[in-house]
Every structure is written in structure tokens, then in C-alpha cells.
Amino acid sequence: MPRKKKAEVQTEITDVEKVAKKEEIKETSEIEQTSEKTEKKEKTAEKKEKKSDPNMLVPVDDYIKYGAYLGTKVITAHMKQYVYRRRADGLAIFNTTLSDQKLKEAITLISKYDPADILICCKRRAGWNALQLLSKITGIKVFTKKYPAGIITNLNLREFFEPRLMFIIDPWLDKNPLKDAVQVNLPIVSICDTNNVTLNISAVIPCNNKSNKSIGLICHTIAKEYCKAKKIEAEIPSVEDFIGPDVI
């Protein structure tokens, strides 16, 4: 049997590579389409199972629209009580009725304090835009990025001040301000995802705390209700303004 020329072999290899590439693209496309269909089915199922209660602070549709109802694949013993079920892909889904009740309780607690008595801390970049806007509207002091260690515990610091309430976005990422707040016995409000531990948290807001959309929705609601409770005359920007640009 005559041996094939080098050029013929190279052509055959190229053809095989092209076919393999086409199959890979086709397979990827099918996976993406399946994923999109699954996502749509899950959202549709959630809407059917959880009809909006007119007494809810945030409509169920908004919890779903902004992804606040989605937890992680990890569910701690502390957060299990707030989980409704798991999706087909393993992600936890929050009980939005419970989330809304806990959000109301958190806002009631926050509204007992004047802006000068509250400190908000957020290390996660996804929350910076929402919290800076919340601070601008309400006058509440906010620390994003890095928390100044000892600012509420070390009397010798020039920036030292004594808040009466701490609000954090993630008990794990914001563990340093959480530790200081516990040390000086402050009540603590925190957004908690399904992978969080709620030890020392006075008021838990159970929802997605990884996404700028979810954090934006929660901060928009807090700003609106806090201004109402404290009779602060301010124009509340839209949820989209609180969300800001997408964070990678």
C-alpha cells in the first residue's frame, strides 16, 4: 500500500481538527441552551410556587429578577431554616417570604438609630456602589474596601467614634468589623447567604450577598424604608442606580 504524502496527511489532520472543532462548538451551544432552558424553568417554577403577598416589602418577582433568591451550593446549619429548596443544579433557593420578613425586622432595628449612630462595612466590591449611594442619601457612615482596624475600639485613634449599630454585607468577608462590633457589644445587622454562619448577628437578612444586583435591591429597600421611618426628605434613585455597573 503506497504511503501518503506529507501534504495529504496534514490535510486529513486539518479536516479532522475542523470536524472536532465543529462538534465542540455544537456541544457547547447545546449545553448553554440547556442551561438557559433550566434557568427559565426554575424561575417559572419559583413564580408559580411563590405567589406575591401584597404585604411583602419586596415583590417575589423582584427577588427573582435581581437574583436575591439564589443562594450557594453550600448550606450551613445556621442558614438551613431560610432555604426553600435546592435547584436541579444544586444551588439553594431562599424562602422569599422568610427573607422578606427578616428584611422588615432588620429595617425596623436600623430605623431605631440616627444616621450618626450607624456604621456600615463592606469589603466585597459588588456592594460598594449601593452602599455609597445609601450613605449619600441617608448620611450613614460607610467603609468600603478596607475597614480601619480599631476605629470603634481604640480610643487613641484620631478617627475613633462610637456607633450604636453595625451593618455588614457578609459575616465572613467583613469579619474584622464584626469582631470589633462584638467586642464593644453592638447590635449587628448582616446580609447572610446560605454559606454564612450567623453567630453574633442580631438581625439576619437572608439572601444572595455575592451579587451587585441582589445587594442593590436590598440597599434600595433599606434606603427607601429608612428615609420614610426617619422622615428624611430625599429622592430615592432606582434599583438600577443602586446596582451600578456589573462587577467582574
Side-chain angles (χ1 to χ4, degrees):
M1 183 177 179
R3 295 179 62 183
K4 294 183 179 179
K5 294 180 181 178
K6 186 176 181 180
E8 291 176 345
V9 172
Q10 187 61 45
T11 300
E12 287 182 3
I13 292 173
T14 303
D15 290 341
V16 169
E17 287 176 344
K18 285 181 179 178
V19 171
K21 188 68 176 175
K22 284 181 180 178
E23 288 297 323
E24 183 182 344
I25 293 171
K26 183 181 177 182
E27 185 177 344
T28 302
S29 177
E30 288 174 352
I31 291 171
E32 288 175 350
Q33 287 174 9
T34 302
S35 178
E36 286 176 5
K37 287 178 181 178
T38 302
E39 182 75 16
K40 287 178 181 178
K41 284 181 180 178
E42 290 288 351
K43 287 185 176 181
T44 302
E46 180 69 9
K47 286 180 180 180
K48 286 180 180 179
E49 292 167 358
K50 293 281 184 182
K51 294 181 179 178
S52 258
D53 182 340
N55 296 317
M56 288 182 73
L57 203 57
V58 178
V60 171
D61 285 352
D62 282 353
Y63 280 114
I64 295 172
K65 177 181 178 181
Y66 297 108
Y69 78 116
L70 281 178
T72 69
K73 291 184 178 181
V74 176
I75 303 174
T76 65
H78 290 237
M79 294 301 295
K80 187 177 180 181
Q81 61 185 308
Y82 305 114
V83 174
Y84 176 56
R85 64 181 176 88
R86 279 189 186 273
R87 283 198 333 187
D89 59 5
L91 285 177
I93 291 179
F94 281 106
N95 182 324
T96 50
T97 301
L98 266 181
S99 293
D100 202 76
Q101 288 173 3
K102 300 302 289 185
L103 177 58
K104 286 179 183 176
E105 291 173 13
I107 291 173
T108 299
L109 177 58
I110 294 170
S111 299
K112 291 179 179 179
Y113 300 89
D114 293 331
D117 295 325
I118 303 171
L119 174 61
I120 305 178
C121 298
C122 176
K123 190 174 182 180
R124 175 167 283 123
R125 188 179 177 188
W128 295 354
N129 186 81
L131 291 176
Q132 285 164 358
L133 196 48
L134 177 61
S135 176
K136 183 179 178 181
I137 294 166
T138 62
I140 296 172
K141 185 184 285 290
V142 171
F143 285 119
T144 55
K145 303 178 184 179
K146 187 177 180 182
Y147 166 73
I151 197 168
I152 65 173
T153 57
N154 188 347
L155 282 74
N156 297 318
L157 290 179
R158 187 179 63 180
E159 300 85 2
F160 172 80
F161 79 109
E162 298 180 86
R164 297 175 59 204
L165 176 81
M166 172 82 75
F167 174 33
I168 56 178
I169 301 303
D170 187 322
W172 170 243
L173 278 184
D174 301 319
K175 54 184 176 292
N176 290 333
L178 172 60
K179 181 181 177 182
D180 280 1
V182 171
Q183 186 177 332
V184 295
N185 201 30
L186 295 183
I188 302 160
V189 176
S190 178
I191 300 176
C192 294
D193 213 325
T194 60
N195 64 330
N196 284 132
V197 172
T198 62
L199 196 64
N200 296 314
I201 305 299
S202 312
V204 172
I205 302 173
C207 73
N208 179 349
N209 61 10
K210 313 291 189 293
S211 158
N212 60 324
K213 292 180 180 179
S214 176
I215 297 172
L217 173 67
I218 298 302
C219 288
H220 171 269
T221 306
I222 291 173
K224 182 177 63 176
E225 296 301 319
Y226 183 80
C227 286
K228 191 188 300 181
K230 305 301 282 187
K231 295 181 170 54
I232 298 173
E233 293 185 6
E235 184 177 341
I236 309 299
S238 67
V239 176
E240 281 67 26
D241 289 325
F242 275 84
I243 291 170
D246 286 336
V247 178
I248 299 174

